[in-house]
Amino acid sequence: MTTELQQLRLPTTSADADSPAAYHVRQVVKSYGRVQAVDVERLDVAAGEVLCLLGPTGAGKSTLLRLLAALEAPTSGEVIFAGGPLGTEAAAAVRRRVTLVFQRAVLLTDTVRANVEYGLKLRGMRGDAASRIAAVLDRLGLAALADRPAATLSGGQTQLVALARALVLEPEVLLLDEPTANLDPARVALVEEVIGEDKRRRGTTVVWATHNMFQARRVADRVALLLSARLVEAAPTEAFFNRPGDPRTADFVAGRMVY
Amino acid sequence: MVAWLDPLPDNPLPRMTGSDLWPIVWLSLRVSGTAVLVSALVGVPLGVWLGLPGSRSHNGWRALVHTGMALPPVVVGLMLYLLLSRSGPLGFLGFLYTAKAMIAAQVILALPFVVGITMTAVAAVPRELVPQLRTLGATDRQVRWTVLKESRPGVLLAVAASFGRSVSEVGAVLIVGGDIQGHTRVLTTAIVFETSKGDFNFALALGAALLVLALSVNLAMLRLGGAARLPAAAP
């Protein structure tokens, strides 16, 4: 486990200019009534990178993830995924390639196994479904809970099952909204390890929202800072923390930020 | 049975016996069962649609459904009578004083119950479930189906409650069915008739049959829905 975490900490170069982009976010505004939740002029996500969205609660991280997941359409502007704009027609197809793990997971009133099986069933997968489910449950330490009703799980276990039901689908893009918020330190490390492993094995693109900058430092290839709906700066992890380009990033990193 | 309930000795009407009971029970079950089946086929999808977060016009529909749950059966009977009577707009159907007319009346009474209770059960499913199902790849149809499965105990309650309303209702079936013996006489109209003619023993037997019928349907629904989660519906 130690080596895994060390590997995650190594600065990588997967966000090079010539690597293919998973997302282009262009002049995207999302407002609810008069409240602007997201106002991002330009943000790119490279295929195969781990991008951490850092920022305080209410900065717009979750809304940005919902836009990337094609669950909501921007009020104005464009989100381009894999070369095409995310429109209403494309949304359903995109949602089979991109999966968002919610901060507050709602599970089905069924067993843990049935919850993890759900997405596979939607896709009509049969053959190797059982072994894939077993593998994911095993990786996340949930094997013993497979036949438990989801309603009897703790908050942390629920969060792990929500991650399991997303990972089992092997999505091209994994969007994570505070996936370790309810977990004890050992399970935080486990989740970071499992996601890093998934990324290395399959080249998964990961957009990971967290308010924990230490976590961002551990897992990210690049970090983007959001403050009150706006993107302050996006930079490779090492540069973001050691040579921030924006004074607000410097304040945030130093813990001097007053929001 | 109960001596003081025996009809007067000079009562000119013939006494009813056990063999007269079963055709009445059977017709009640057929009429109300059909009405509930039709109501469920129409009402459950409608309830799912209205229960999911949607457009603002939903609120108007919801108010209408709740009003429908309070429809007085006698008024429904009267309206349907006027529609189905020979000179009415639907008179050509020839439904008046048939089981079909009684089924139609009970559908009008049961449908708002099915829609209303299904709607409430669906609305009680956590709102955040829908986007989470979508991001796992569910299409709109798959989302609706999953939400319906999540609200199964409530939906079964809707069916049980609407059966209770149908089978225990007397005003509408009396008006449009006419309580014709061996033809449109159901448990409730038979109770009214037997009571009015003074055969209290038979009326009580019919009442007991009615309760047993409602109880059986509720027990069946409990078994389907998982006993712990379904409150019993009153007939």
Side-chain angles (χ1 to χ4, degrees):
Chain A
M1 193 151 93
T2 327
T3 47
E4 299 277 4
L5 286 173
Q6 277 165 351
Q7 277 174 15
L8 277 174
R9 250 182 243 116
L10 291 173
T12 62
T13 50
S14 64
D16 285 351
D18 45 290
S19 71
Y23 286 103
H24 296 292
V25 177
R26 293 290 179 269
Q27 269 92 38
V28 163
V29 174
K30 178 69 187 177
S31 17
Y32 299 98
R34 284 156 67 187
V35 181
Q36 257 185 20
V38 165
D39 181 0
V40 171
E41 214 161 278
R42 186 190 172 94
L43 176 67
D44 296 318
V45 182
E49 76 168 340
V50 175
L51 173 71
C52 265
L53 299 177
L54 204 55
T57 309
K61 305 188 295 288
S62 298
T63 308
L64 185 54
L65 286 178
R66 280 168 173 263
L67 291 167
L68 297 180
L71 290 171
E72 298 198 39
T75 312
S76 66
E78 221 174 18
V79 178
I80 295 161
F81 171 72
L86 278 189
T88 31
E89 316 106 64
V94 169
R95 288 196 294 255
R96 296 249 155 153
R97 302 166 63 184
V98 175
T99 301
L100 168 59
V101 179
F102 283 65
Q103 188 175 356
R104 286 196 348 219
V106 180
L107 301 181
L108 302 172
T109 8
D110 209 327
T111 61
V112 167
R113 191 194 311 279
N115 269 281
V116 178
E117 195 179 20
Y118 180 77
L120 293 173
K121 268 188 164 172
L122 293 177
R123 288 161 174 73
M125 286 187 201
R126 302 204 182 250
D128 61 341
S131 61
R132 272 168 77 168
I133 294 165
V136 165
L137 290 176
D138 196 47
R139 269 162 90 198
L140 287 168
L142 295 168
L145 302 177
D147 296 312
R148 279 265 296 273
T152 64
L153 301 181
S154 72
Q157 289 166 335
T158 302
Q159 205 163 26
L160 288 174
V161 173
L163 184 62
R165 72 179 175 181
L167 280 174
V168 78
L169 303 174
E170 307 198 335
E172 285 170 49
V173 180
L174 192 56
L175 305 169
L176 305 168
D177 196 352
E178 304 277 4
T180 60
N182 298 322
L183 301 180
D184 58 70
R187 287 198 175 72
V188 171
L190 173 70
V191 165
E192 290 177 359
E193 180 193 324
V194 165
I195 292 167
E197 186 187 297
D198 190 75
K199 178 216 161 179
R200 281 192 301 279
R201 191 169 60 84
R202 301 193 303 110
T204 319
T205 307
V206 182
V207 183
W208 184 327
T210 177
H211 58 254
N212 181 339
M213 63 177 128
F214 303 104
Q215 180 164 62
R217 205 163 187 161
R218 287 195 298 270
V219 303
D221 296 319
R222 285 198 310 140
V223 181
L225 177 65
L226 283 173
L227 286 179
S228 16
R230 286 167 196 273
L231 179 70
V232 173
E233 177 175 2
T237 309
E238 194 269 337
F240 182 92
F241 285 104
N242 297 328
R243 299 183 302 281
D246 190 290
R248 288 169 294 173
T249 310
D251 284 351
F252 187 87
V253 167
R256 288 193 301 267
M257 175 64 69
V258 181
Y259 339 108
Chain B
M1 207 193 258
V2 186
W4 56 268
L5 286 178
D6 275 347
L8 301 171
D10 57 338
N11 191 323
L13 291 164
R15 298 286 302 272
M16 305 301 286
T17 62
S19 59
D20 299 309
L21 182 68
W22 293 111
I24 298 175
V25 172
W26 177 232
L27 186 65
S28 267
L29 193 61
R30 256 173 50 210
V31 168
S32 298
T34 310
V36 167
L37 193 70
V38 172
S39 303
L41 288 176
V42 179
V44 170
L46 215 57
V48 172
W49 179 64
L50 287 174
L52 286 170
S55 65
R56 243 172 239 179
S57 69
H58 280 187
N59 280 335
W61 284 105
R62 289 183 191 126
L64 205 66
V65 169
H66 287 138
T67 310
M69 290 171 83
L71 272 180
V74 192
V75 176
V76 170
L78 172 65
M79 295 308 203
L80 203 56
Y81 180 91
L82 293 174
L83 284 174
L84 293 176
S85 67
R86 189 152 300 173
S87 53
L90 299 176
F92 65 93
L93 291 171
F95 276 10
L96 198 62
Y97 302 136
T98 66
K100 284 176 186 154
M102 298 196 292
I103 291 168
Q106 294 195 348
V107 167
I108 295 171
L109 291 165
L111 187 60
F113 267 71
V114 176
V115 178
I117 299 175
T118 302
M119 181 172 93
T120 309
V122 167
V125 172
R127 248 164 194 250
E128 275 295 280
L129 179 67
V130 175
Q132 300 194 16
L133 299 177
R134 276 193 217 286
T135 194
L136 292 170
T139 61
D140 286 351
R141 271 188 70 170
Q142 288 169 327
V143 165
R144 284 195 293 270
W145 178 244
T146 305
V147 170
L148 178 63
K149 272 171 75 181
E150 284 295 296
S151 38
R152 189 175 70 159
V155 173
L156 292 171
L157 168 67
V159 173
S162 71
F163 182 81
R165 168 126 158 131
S166 297
V167 82
S168 64
E169 173 282 319
V170 59
V173 285
L174 191 59
I175 295 176
V176 301
D179 187 39
I180 302 163
Q181 192 178 2
H183 187 50
T184 58
R185 179 164 293 175
V186 290
L187 283 165
T188 52
T189 57
I191 292 173
V192 172
F193 176 72
E194 296 302 332
T195 305
S196 67
K197 87 176 200 216
D199 192 346
F200 299 117
N201 280 332
F202 195 63
L204 278 173
L206 289 164
L210 186 58
L211 285 172
V212 168
L213 204 58
L215 185 68
S216 319
V217 168
N218 274 293
L219 283 175
M221 291 295 139
L222 278 167
R223 279 193 83 114
L224 279 172
R229 295 186 51 198
L230 178 64

